[in-house]
Amino acid sequence: AADSVLEDADQIRALIGQHAAILAQNESAYFELCYHRATGWMAWITDKPLCMPPVVNPDRKVLAHGQGDTAYEACRDAARKQGGA
């Protein structure tokens, strides 16, 4: 069970690490890991936030996105869907 928890944390850390690498090139890159009762866990990396008042960025590019029943699954899914695929 402890190994499973570490593996879950590694998937989340890996996606955050990818975001950190992108930040080195683009300080506006945006990372989100969230839970919504209707859609479950979601993870996103985009080139800029959708909305940072007063600016709305409908032209943002999705660099990675994922969804799952747990934060781990959402991050693992996002890592598999690099480039907004």
Side-chain angles (χ1 to χ4, degrees):
D3 288 340
S4 177
V5 170
L6 288 175
E7 183 179 316
D8 289 359
D10 286 346
Q11 291 292 329
I12 296 168
R13 259 190 231 113
L15 193 63
I16 292 171
Q18 290 174 13
H19 177 245
I22 294 167
L23 279 173
Q25 305 282 324
N26 172 9
E27 66 183 25
S28 296
Y30 176 75
F31 171 82
E32 182 174 353
L33 176 62
C34 63
Y35 177 81
H36 187 276
R37 67 179 178 268
T39 56
W41 283 94
M42 298 175 289
W44 295 88
I45 299 176
T46 60
D47 68 334
K48 55 190 162 197
L50 174 61
C51 183
M52 193 66 134
V55 177
V56 176
N57 296 305
D59 62 336
R60 72 183 175 148
K61 293 181 181 97
V62 175
L63 306 175
H65 72 285
Q67 193 168 345
D69 292 333
T70 65
Y72 156 75
E73 289 175 359
C75 288
R76 182 184 62 193
D77 191 42
R80 291 178 179 164
K81 294 180 178 174
Q82 294 286 319

